């Protein structure tokens, strides 16, 4: 059996962005689109929920029957729960949009992570190999840092 001196491992690399007018505009635009999408989902949810309730009532011989009312109540609860979930997501997007608008030019912000592979050998400092970040400005890599 032979011993390997090098092995390839997966690591996560932090991506940081330098805030520029273009970056702020793009981020704000993306958030605006997401917020608009949430509004559309909320509207669609309300319409579909009302349509289901109307269908249940129309298909029933007696819309005032307690079983029908119970079924309608359950549908309305499900719609309300989903509405609350979507509204919470929308609130978070609105908060992010406010934060983006308050960022200062040349400020560095976390933008995400990517996975990468690197080779490690006997004697390497594993912590240094794992702690890497890339800083970009308008999509152009500015620095690659070992933290």
């Amino acid at each position: 059996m032979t011993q390997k001196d090098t092995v390839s491992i997966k690591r996560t690399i932090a991506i940081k962005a330098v805030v520029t007018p273009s970056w702020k505009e793009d981020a704000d635009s993306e958030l605006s689109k997401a917020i608009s999408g949430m509004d559309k989902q909320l509207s669609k949810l309300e319409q579909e929920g009302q349509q289901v309730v109307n269908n249940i009532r129309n298909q029933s011989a007696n819309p005032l029957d307690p079983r029908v009312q119970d079924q309608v109540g359950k549908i309305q609860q499900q719609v309300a729960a989903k509405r609350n979930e979507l509204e919470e997501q929308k609130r978070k997007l609105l908060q992010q949009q406010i934060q983006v608008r308050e960022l200062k030019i040349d400020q560095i912000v976390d933008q995400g992570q990517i996975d990468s592979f690197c080779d490690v050998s006997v004697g390497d400092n594993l912590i240094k190999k794992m702690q890497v970040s890339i800083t970009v400005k308008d999509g152009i890599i500015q620095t690659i840092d070992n933290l």
Side-chain angles (χ1 to χ4, degrees), residues 15-19 23 103 107-112:
I15 304 297
K16 299 176 182 211
V18 177
V19 176
W23 184 92
L103 291 173
Q107 186 175 342
I108 295 177
V109 296
D110 292 330
Q111 187 158 9

Side-chain angles (χ1 to χ4, degrees), residues 2-42:
T2 60
Q3 180 181 2
K4 267 188 162 178
D5 289 340
T6 303
V7 66
S8 185
I9 61 171
K10 184 176 169 181
R11 65 181 172 186
T12 301
I13 297 176
I15 304 297
K16 299 176 182 211
V18 177
V19 176
T20 64
S22 173
W23 184 92
K24 283 180 77 167
E25 186 177 305
D26 290 346
D28 189 67
S29 174
E30 287 297 316
L31 288 165
S32 291
K33 287 177 190 172
I35 291 164
S36 176
M38 284 290 151
D39 287 335
K40 288 177 184 170
Q41 285 183 35
L42 283 162

Side-chain angles (χ1 to χ4, degrees), residues 29-86:
S29 174
E30 287 297 316
L31 288 165
S32 291
K33 287 177 190 172
I35 291 164
S36 176
M38 284 290 151
D39 287 335
K40 288 177 184 170
Q41 285 183 35
L42 283 162
S43 177
K44 183 178 177 185
L45 174 68
E46 293 298 332
Q47 290 173 350
E48 290 176 353
Q50 192 58 49
Q51 185 177 0
V52 169
V53 167
N54 290 341
N55 287 345
I56 291 169
R57 287 183 175 150
N58 291 338
Q59 292 172 0
S60 171
N62 179 7
L64 299 177
D65 183 319
R67 290 176 293 185
V68 172
Q69 293 299 323
D70 186 49
Q71 194 175 8
V72 166
K74 287 180 182 175
I75 296 294
Q76 289 172 334
Q77 285 177 342
Q78 290 173 348
V79 168
K82 184 65 174 174
R83 181 186 327 107
N84 289 340
E85 180 184 318
L86 291 173

